[in-house]
PDB file of all heavy atoms in Angstrom:
ATOM      1  N   VAL A1005       9.002 -22.149 -15.909  1.00  0.00           N
ATOM      2  CA  VAL A1005       9.436 -21.137 -14.905  1.00  0.00           C
ATOM      3  C   VAL A1005      10.435 -21.750 -13.950  1.00  0.00           C
ATOM      4  O   VAL A1005      10.481 -22.958 -13.739  1.00  0.00           O
ATOM      5  CB  VAL A1005       8.230 -20.560 -14.152  1.00  0.00           C
ATOM      6  CG1 VAL A1005       7.258 -19.872 -15.094  1.00  0.00           C
ATOM      7  CG2 VAL A1005       7.525 -21.669 -13.399  1.00  0.00           C
ATOM      8  N   ARG A1006      11.214 -20.849 -13.327  1.00  0.00           N
ATOM      9  CA  ARG A1006      12.110 -21.265 -12.283  1.00  0.00           C
ATOM     10  C   ARG A1006      11.576 -20.699 -10.960  1.00  0.00           C
ATOM     11  O   ARG A1006      10.790 -19.767 -10.931  1.00  0.00           O
ATOM     12  CB  ARG A1006      13.516 -20.739 -12.545  1.00  0.00           C
ATOM     13  CG  ARG A1006      14.117 -21.302 -13.828  1.00  0.00           C
ATOM     14  CD  ARG A1006      15.595 -20.972 -13.938  1.00  0.00           C
ATOM     15  NE  ARG A1006      15.874 -19.538 -13.896  1.00  0.00           N
ATOM     16  CZ  ARG A1006      17.097 -19.059 -13.945  1.00  0.00           C
ATOM     17  NH1 ARG A1006      18.139 -19.849 -14.010  1.00  0.00           N
ATOM     18  NH2 ARG A1006      17.273 -17.748 -13.880  1.00  0.00           N
ATOM     19  N   PRO A1007      12.027 -21.260  -9.873  1.00  0.00           N
ATOM     20  CA  PRO A1007      11.495 -20.818  -8.570  1.00  0.00           C
ATOM     21  C   PRO A1007      11.700 -19.342  -8.301  1.00  0.00           C
ATOM     22  O   PRO A1007      12.765 -18.786  -8.526  1.00  0.00           O
ATOM     23  CB  PRO A1007      12.323 -21.690  -7.575  1.00  0.00           C
ATOM     24  CG  PRO A1007      12.714 -22.882  -8.329  1.00  0.00           C
ATOM     25  CD  PRO A1007      12.955 -22.399  -9.754  1.00  0.00           C
ATOM     26  N   GLY A1008      10.616 -18.684  -7.838  1.00  0.00           N
ATOM     27  CA  GLY A1008      10.694 -17.321  -7.410  1.00  0.00           C
ATOM     28  C   GLY A1008      10.500 -16.281  -8.473  1.00  0.00           C
ATOM     29  O   GLY A1008      10.499 -15.107  -8.161  1.00  0.00           O
ATOM     30  N   GLU A1009      10.279 -16.701  -9.739  1.00  0.00           N
ATOM     31  CA  GLU A1009      10.212 -15.742 -10.855  1.00  0.00           C
ATOM     32  C   GLU A1009       8.783 -15.428 -11.239  1.00  0.00           C
ATOM     33  O   GLU A1009       7.877 -16.235 -11.110  1.00  0.00           O
ATOM     34  CB  GLU A1009      11.017 -16.256 -12.035  1.00  0.00           C
ATOM     35  CG  GLU A1009      12.485 -16.364 -11.711  1.00  0.00           C
ATOM     36  CD  GLU A1009      13.268 -16.988 -12.848  1.00  0.00           C
ATOM     37  OE1 GLU A1009      12.695 -17.748 -13.628  1.00  0.00           O
ATOM     38  OE2 GLU A1009      14.461 -16.677 -12.977  1.00  0.00           O
ATOM     39  N   LYS A1010       8.600 -14.180 -11.744  1.00  0.00           N
ATOM     40  CA  LYS A1010       7.280 -13.706 -12.207  1.00  0.00           C
ATOM     41  C   LYS A1010       7.241 -13.628 -13.731  1.00  0.00           C
ATOM     42  O   LYS A1010       8.286 -13.593 -14.385  1.00  0.00           O
ATOM     43  CB  LYS A1010       7.029 -12.312 -11.663  1.00  0.00           C
ATOM     44  CG  LYS A1010       6.942 -12.153 -10.172  1.00  0.00           C
ATOM     45  CD  LYS A1010       6.665 -10.712  -9.847  1.00  0.00           C
ATOM     46  CE  LYS A1010       6.651 -10.421  -8.335  1.00  0.00           C
ATOM     47  NZ  LYS A1010       6.416  -8.999  -8.087  1.00  0.00           N
ATOM     48  N   LEU A1011       6.020 -13.517 -14.257  1.00  0.00           N
ATOM     49  CA  LEU A1011       5.883 -13.266 -15.693  1.00  0.00           C
ATOM     50  C   LEU A1011       6.209 -11.824 -16.006  1.00  0.00           C
ATOM     51  O   LEU A1011       6.742 -11.505 -17.039  1.00  0.00           O
ATOM     52  CB  LEU A1011       4.415 -13.597 -16.107  1.00  0.00           C
ATOM     53  CG  LEU A1011       4.117 -13.415 -17.597  1.00  0.00           C
ATOM     54  CD1 LEU A1011       4.909 -14.384 -18.412  1.00  0.00           C
ATOM     55  CD2 LEU A1011       2.650 -13.526 -17.864  1.00  0.00           C
ATOM     56  N   TYR A1012       5.899 -10.943 -15.071  1.00  0.00           N
ATOM     57  CA  TYR A1012       6.202  -9.491 -15.269  1.00  0.00           C
ATOM     58  C   TYR A1012       6.584  -8.918 -13.915  1.00  0.00           C
ATOM     59  O   TYR A1012       6.230  -9.440 -12.872  1.00  0.00           O
ATOM     60  CB  TYR A1012       5.009  -8.764 -15.839  1.00  0.00           C
ATOM     61  CG  TYR A1012       3.767  -8.820 -14.973  1.00  0.00           C
ATOM     62  CD1 TYR A1012       3.495  -7.850 -14.031  1.00  0.00           C
ATOM     63  CD2 TYR A1012       2.859  -9.872 -15.098  1.00  0.00           C
ATOM     64  CE1 TYR A1012       2.378  -7.893 -13.223  1.00  0.00           C
ATOM     65  CE2 TYR A1012       1.747  -9.927 -14.293  1.00  0.00           C
ATOM     66  CZ  TYR A1012       1.505  -8.948 -13.342  1.00  0.00           C
ATOM     67  OH  TYR A1012       0.384  -9.028 -12.534  1.00  0.00           O
ATOM     68  N   GLU A1013       7.343  -7.839 -13.980  1.00  0.00           N
ATOM     69  CA  GLU A1013       7.776  -7.180 -12.760  1.00  0.00           C
ATOM     70  C   GLU A1013       6.973  -5.901 -12.547  1.00  0.00           C
ATOM     71  O   GLU A1013       6.437  -5.336 -13.516  1.00  0.00           O
ATOM     72  CB  GLU A1013       9.264  -6.812 -12.831  1.00  0.00           C
ATOM     73  CG  GLU A1013      10.191  -8.011 -12.949  1.00  0.00           C
ATOM     74  CD  GLU A1013      10.264  -8.839 -11.685  1.00  0.00           C
ATOM     75  OE1 GLU A1013       9.563  -8.506 -10.683  1.00  0.00           O
ATOM     76  OE2 GLU A1013      10.997  -9.857 -11.686  1.00  0.00           O
ATOM     77  N   GLU A1014       6.878  -5.430 -11.286  1.00  0.00           N
ATOM     78  CA  GLU A1014       6.161  -4.234 -10.957  1.00  0.00           C
ATOM     79  C   GLU A1014       7.145  -3.254 -10.293  1.00  0.00           C
ATOM     80  O   GLU A1014       8.041  -3.684  -9.597  1.00  0.00           O
ATOM     81  CB  GLU A1014       5.011  -4.521  -9.965  1.00  0.00           C
ATOM     82  CG  GLU A1014       4.033  -5.588 -10.504  1.00  0.00           C
ATOM     83  CD  GLU A1014       3.207  -6.143  -9.364  1.00  0.00           C
ATOM     84  OE1 GLU A1014       2.110  -5.571  -9.120  1.00  0.00           O
ATOM     85  OE2 GLU A1014       3.615  -7.142  -8.776  1.00  0.00           O
ATOM     86  N   LEU A1015       6.956  -1.985 -10.572  1.00  0.00           N
ATOM     87  CA  LEU A1015       7.818  -0.967  -9.942  1.00  0.00           C
ATOM     88  C   LEU A1015       7.207  -0.355  -8.708  1.00  0.00           C
ATOM     89  O   LEU A1015       7.920   0.212  -7.870  1.00  0.00           O
ATOM     90  CB  LEU A1015       8.122   0.133 -11.008  1.00  0.00           C
ATOM     91  CG  LEU A1015       8.854  -0.335 -12.254  1.00  0.00           C
ATOM     92  CD1 LEU A1015       9.045   0.820 -13.218  1.00  0.00           C
ATOM     93  CD2 LEU A1015      10.149  -0.977 -11.892  1.00  0.00           C
ATOM     94  N   PHE A1016       5.875  -0.437  -8.588  1.00  0.00           N
ATOM     95  CA  PHE A1016       5.148   0.147  -7.444  1.00  0.00           C
ATOM     96  C   PHE A1016       4.033  -0.775  -7.030  1.00  0.00           C
ATOM     97  O   PHE A1016       3.549  -1.583  -7.820  1.00  0.00           O
ATOM     98  CB  PHE A1016       4.487   1.495  -7.801  1.00  0.00           C
ATOM     99  CG  PHE A1016       5.408   2.506  -8.434  1.00  0.00           C
ATOM    100  CD1 PHE A1016       5.560   2.538  -9.824  1.00  0.00           C
ATOM    101  CD2 PHE A1016       6.085   3.428  -7.688  1.00  0.00           C
ATOM    102  CE1 PHE A1016       6.370   3.469 -10.429  1.00  0.00           C
ATOM    103  CE2 PHE A1016       6.907   4.355  -8.278  1.00  0.00           C
ATOM    104  CZ  PHE A1016       7.059   4.380  -9.651  1.00  0.00           C
ATOM    105  N   THR A1017       3.605  -0.635  -5.775  1.00  0.00           N
ATOM    106  CA  THR A1017       2.297  -1.134  -5.430  1.00  0.00           C
ATOM    107  C   THR A1017       1.251  -0.120  -5.869  1.00  0.00           C
ATOM    108  O   THR A1017       1.600   0.986  -6.279  1.00  0.00           O
ATOM    109  CB  THR A1017       2.192  -1.378  -3.906  1.00  0.00           C
ATOM    110  OG1 THR A1017       2.325  -0.095  -3.250  1.00  0.00           O
ATOM    111  CG2 THR A1017       3.277  -2.316  -3.402  1.00  0.00           C
ATOM    112  N   ASP A1018      -0.022  -0.466  -5.769  1.00  0.00           N
ATOM    113  CA  ASP A1018      -1.078   0.443  -6.223  1.00  0.00           C
ATOM    114  C   ASP A1018      -1.074   1.743  -5.465  1.00  0.00           C
ATOM    115  O   ASP A1018      -1.464   2.800  -5.982  1.00  0.00           O
ATOM    116  CB  ASP A1018      -2.428  -0.251  -6.090  1.00  0.00           C
ATOM    117  CG  ASP A1018      -2.556  -1.421  -7.018  1.00  0.00           C
ATOM    118  OD1 ASP A1018      -1.820  -1.491  -8.015  1.00  0.00           O
ATOM    119  OD2 ASP A1018      -3.384  -2.313  -6.694  1.00  0.00           O
ATOM    120  N   GLN A1019      -0.597   1.742  -4.199  1.00  0.00           N
ATOM    121  CA  GLN A1019      -0.663   2.951  -3.377  1.00  0.00           C
ATOM    122  C   GLN A1019       0.613   3.788  -3.436  1.00  0.00           C
ATOM    123  O   GLN A1019       0.651   4.892  -2.905  1.00  0.00           O
ATOM    124  CB  GLN A1019      -0.940   2.572  -1.916  1.00  0.00           C
ATOM    125  CG  GLN A1019      -2.286   1.880  -1.705  1.00  0.00           C
ATOM    126  CD  GLN A1019      -2.278   0.409  -2.078  1.00  0.00           C
ATOM    127  OE1 GLN A1019      -1.215  -0.221  -2.064  1.00  0.00           O
ATOM    128  NE2 GLN A1019      -3.463  -0.132  -2.424  1.00  0.00           N
TER     129      GLN A1019
END
Side-chain angles (χ1 to χ4, degrees):
V1005 298
R1006 298 191 303 178
E1009 296 176 333
K1010 298 179 182 179
L1011 182 65
Y1012 60 91
E1013 298 289 1
E1014 304 163 90
L1015 299 178
F1016 308 88
T1017 63
D1018 294 338
Q1019 296 79 26

